[in-house]
Amino acid sequence: MIVLTVFPMLLLIGIIFLRCLMVFEITPRISKAIFCPIGDSPTGCQGRSFRTSRVFFGAIGLRLVLLLAAIAAVMIRTNAELSLEECFQQMQHWDAIHYTKLVDLGYSGYMENEQHLFLVFFPGYVWLVRFIRLLVPNTVVTGMAVSSLCYAGGCCFLFKLVEGYYNAEIARDSVIYLSLFPFSLFFGFVMTEGLFLLTTTAACFYAQQKKWLFYGIWGFFAALTRMTGILVIVPALIEIISNRQSEFPLGKRVVSLIRKIPLLLMPILGSGIYLLLNAVIDGNPMAFLIHQKHWHQGYMWLPEVIQYVWNLVCEKLHTSIGWSIWLPTFLMFFVFLGILLLSSRDLKNPLSLLAFAFCYFVASYSLTWLLSAGRYMSCCFPMFIFLARLTAERPSLKRCLQGVGAVFTGIYLFAYVSGAQVM
């Protein structure tokens, strides 16, 4: 298992390294044998352009459909009479319960065994919902509304980002693949996924547009929402260095980078606010590292993670948790790794998104107790962009993948609201 993991990862690292050399105008001979020329890869049909408003309202419409499906699932499986508010409460499981209590009680008030164990949850989403709750007093309704609206906004930024790199058809397919990913169900619940999608796609979009102040603001909120939010520095750095204006020499690009460093590093400020929160609440800016031990969470060498996940697949395949967590986690690793490997050879795929996807993928899978791989990867939007690119001229495969995604989204949505270990 370690060999199956290490060899493809090393190959992928090697390809990304060659792409980085090409950014610095260094092109080894082997590059011609590895990479597909830009004009040789499918670009999809140009088609008509789509208005961003259509993307937004389409995303909201999908969330409403899934909400109605969740309500139906709750009502069907219960034998008691439930009000709509009670029905919403029945949909809160796992981390959603903790986020709800953090909004209600704050980080200082929500404790377990007289410890601030929930400092492991980043504050961006908690603070935003707490602020909006001043207008809408119901925490669960506010949290679900914020998540859904942020998801819709994230879809808009994703569409605009992809349209800038490719075309409207691939942009549309990227949004569809993201939305029909089975674990995309979390975009509508009291979870950070919707806000994290919005902040990371916005940061990458403004980096693409070279609007560095807006990138810095969105990157700050991305890092305040989740630990991996700081990774938006990676695509921004590459976008600065690989300025598409070929008349700019390398030296001028380096000078431009130095001037933009304060804005480039604004996401670090978001992480700094989180450390300050730890210091204020627990007297230690690194307190979250201590509390992570309670959740059996830490970092582990990725091949070892895949090995223990495989062991748990074999051990738990005849149980609910085997199908809800371990089998999907194992399969997703190789599916996403395959997407990265296939996409890394296509020079039309921007290096900035490729590097971001790789870093996010590795960071998300290098955990000692990987219970939420599907939820983490639902926000790895470059994967869905690359999938749309790969299937641009394969309509039958595209329809098949989207149909399978829709079916499993329904299955995992029902499992989640039923209290299964989908987390």
Side-chain angles (χ1 to χ4, degrees):
M1 189 58 62
I2 291 180
V3 174
L4 290 176
T5 306
V6 172
F7 178 74
M9 291 296 293
L10 291 177
L11 178 61
L12 182 58
I13 292 172
I15 294 174
I16 294 176
F17 177 71
L18 288 176
R19 290 285 302 270
C20 291
L21 291 180
M22 295 172 70
V23 168
F24 287 98
E25 300 172 357
I26 303 172
T27 309
R29 291 184 179 180
I30 192 175
S31 300
K32 295 181 180 180
I34 295 177
F35 298 116
C36 303
I38 291 179
D40 291 352
S41 298
T43 58
C45 304
Q46 291 297 324
R48 67 182 188 277
S49 65
F50 293 82
R51 293 175 57 118
T52 307
S53 59
R54 291 180 59 187
V55 177
F56 181 84
F57 288 112
I60 290 295
L62 176 60
R63 294 262 65 88
L64 290 175
V65 169
L66 292 176
L67 176 60
L68 291 174
I71 292 173
V74 170
M75 298 306 297
I76 288 173
R77 72 176 181 82
T78 186
N79 294 320
E81 293 185 4
L82 295 177
S83 65
L84 188 59
E85 181 177 352
E86 291 171 331
C87 186
F88 282 156
Q89 291 290 345
Q90 290 284 322
M91 298 179 195
Q92 307 313 304
H93 300 286
W94 311 115
D95 284 356
I97 296 174
H98 300 315
Y99 280 114
T100 300
K101 291 186 177 180
L102 282 171
V103 172
D104 289 335
L105 303 175
Y107 282 92
S108 59
Y110 185 32
M111 294 189 292
E112 185 175 302
N113 299 326
E114 298 184 353
Q115 299 181 68
H116 297 105
L117 299 176
F118 305 99
L119 276 172
V120 297
F121 295 94
F122 273 56
Y125 177 76
V126 173
W127 289 345
L128 177 60
V129 175
R130 193 170 183 132
F131 175 76
I132 302 297
R133 198 190 57 171
L134 297 175
L135 303 175
V136 183
N138 187 296
T139 302
V140 173
V141 171
T142 302
M144 294 175 71
V146 167
S147 294
S148 297
L149 290 170
C150 288
Y151 154 77
C155 286
C156 292
F157 277 113
L158 174 61
F159 185 90
K160 292 165 67 177
L161 176 71
V162 180
E163 192 176 32
Y165 283 123
Y166 306 100
N167 56 56
E169 294 293 331
I170 293 181
R172 182 197 62 185
D173 290 342
S174 300
V175 173
I176 293 174
Y177 280 131
L178 171 79
S179 301
L180 295 181
F181 181 59
F183 293 92
S184 67
L185 65 97
F186 292 108
F187 288 130
F189 292 107
V190 187
M191 300 274 197
T192 61
E193 276 59 44
L195 179 60
F196 190 65
L197 177 70
L198 172 64
T199 53
T200 51
T201 52
C204 289
F205 171 73
Y206 285 115
Q208 177 204 54
Q209 298 296 309
K210 308 297 187 289
K211 296 181 179 180
W212 298 111
L213 177 60
F214 291 107
Y215 151 78
I217 293 171
W218 285 107
F220 165 82
F221 285 111
L224 193 62
T225 303
R226 189 182 287 175
M227 185 176 294
T228 46
I230 199 171
L231 294 177
V232 296
I233 291 176
V234 174
L237 177 62
I238 293 174
E239 287 289 344
I240 291 176
I241 296 175
S242 59
N243 195 311
R244 295 182 185 83
Q245 300 181 37
S246 57
E247 65 270 18
F248 288 176
L250 178 60
K252 190 169 184 178
R253 280 181 259 168
V254 173
V255 172
S256 176
L257 169 62
I258 294 174
R259 290 176 178 174
K260 295 180 176 68
I261 282 179
L263 295 175
L264 177 69
L265 299 181
M266 274 187 68
I268 295 178
L269 181 59
S271 299
I273 296 295
Y274 173 64
L275 297 181
L276 180 61
L277 172 68
N278 278 258
V280 170
I281 298 299
D282 235 10
N284 179 3
M286 309 303 290
F288 70 97
L289 293 176
I290 300 173
H291 296 314
Q292 280 180 344
K293 296 177 182 178
H294 172 83
W295 307 100
H296 309 288
Q297 198 62 277
Y299 284 97
M300 179 183 286
W301 193 44
L302 194 148
E304 293 182 359
V305 174
I306 301 306
Q307 181 64 60
Y308 87 67
V309 169
W310 171 246
N311 293 340
L312 287 168
V313 169
C314 297
E315 179 183 341
K316 304 291 185 179
L317 193 58
H318 299 291
T319 66
S320 172
I321 194 173
W323 285 84
S324 61
I325 294 180
W326 301 121
L327 182 59
T329 298
F330 181 78
L331 294 177
M332 280 188 299
F333 174 81
F334 290 100
V335 169
F336 286 127
L337 180 59
I339 290 174
L340 278 176
L341 282 170
L342 291 173
S343 302
S344 62
R345 296 182 62 247
D346 187 352
L347 294 178
K348 180 65 176 177
N349 292 323
L351 176 60
S352 57
L353 294 184
L354 185 65
F356 177 66
F358 173 77
C359 293
Y360 185 94
F361 176 59
V362 171
S364 298
Y365 262 87
S366 300
L367 298 174
T368 54
W369 195 231
L370 192 56
L371 296 177
S372 304
R375 180 157 63 94
Y376 300 153
M377 292 307 297
S378 66
C379 295
C380 191
F381 61 89
M383 293 292 192
F384 305 104
I385 298 174
F386 298 147
L387 182 59
R389 169 82 170 158
L390 289 169
T391 59
E393 292 188 349
R394 299 173 176 85
S396 297
L397 177 60
K398 186 190 306 184
R399 288 192 294 269
C400 178
L401 290 175
Q402 291 172 357
V404 170
V407 169
F408 277 93
T409 297
I411 291 173
Y412 276 87
L413 176 65
F414 181 81
Y416 173 77
V417 299
S418 300
Q421 291 175 305
V422 177
M423 58 182 74

